[in-house]
Amino acid sequence: MEQAPIVHVVDDDPSIRRAIAALLRSVGIDSVTYESCSEFLDAEIAPVPSCLLLDVRLPGTSGLDFQNQLASHGIDLPVIVITGHGDVPMSVQAMKAGAVDFLTKPFRDQDLLDAVSAAVERHARLLEASGKIHELTRRYETLSTREKQVMELVTAGRLNKQAAFDLGLSEITVKLYRASAMKKMEARTLADLVKMAEKLKIGAAA
């Protein structure tokens, strides 16, 4: 079942928080509102397609400063910066830091909804990619030490006989380990296994 998106709104103006929440609710999007960055950090962020609407002027840490700190807090949500006091340098700073959009209050409802749609879609793709890496890592951890060694060598371009020499094994034994590794990794071809090794940044294939 597709997970419903959540928009996190950080703005110290309660009327703005209510208006944005009502707008999002009118198109079937859930939201959670916060009056400060610290309140947002204290919240539990569900692993569903989401984005962060971040006001520039906030009590304590400013929105632009907080945007630059998100990665250090382990937060990878796409950001939409909103402000009632926008200027060109400010918008450039926000966009350079990776913001999806920069909206100046009062903004058109459709502009906000378009920005939210783009941000949520971006996060959905990020979550999908992250989930695939997690699954590949899970499969990789089921490999034995020898299977991992053989996978690292053959995905780095070593032939079976070369891998056998490197590991002090017979070529037929290397072939068996390679076949077992491919089965556990659910790789149909060596090319598939190479792509998996690249995604996992394994050894010389990184």
Side-chain angles (χ1 to χ4, degrees), residues 75-91:
I75 298 170
D76 58 5
L77 297 182
V79 175
I80 299 167
V81 175
I82 54 178
T83 180
H85 311 276
D87 54 35
V88 173
M90 190 182 291
S91 64

Side-chain angles (χ1 to χ4, degrees), residues 107-122:
F107 40 75
R108 292 174 58 248
D109 289 354
Q110 193 58 51
D111 288 341
L112 178 64
L113 294 176
D114 288 346
V116 165
S117 177
V120 168
E121 184 177 340
R122 177 188 292 189

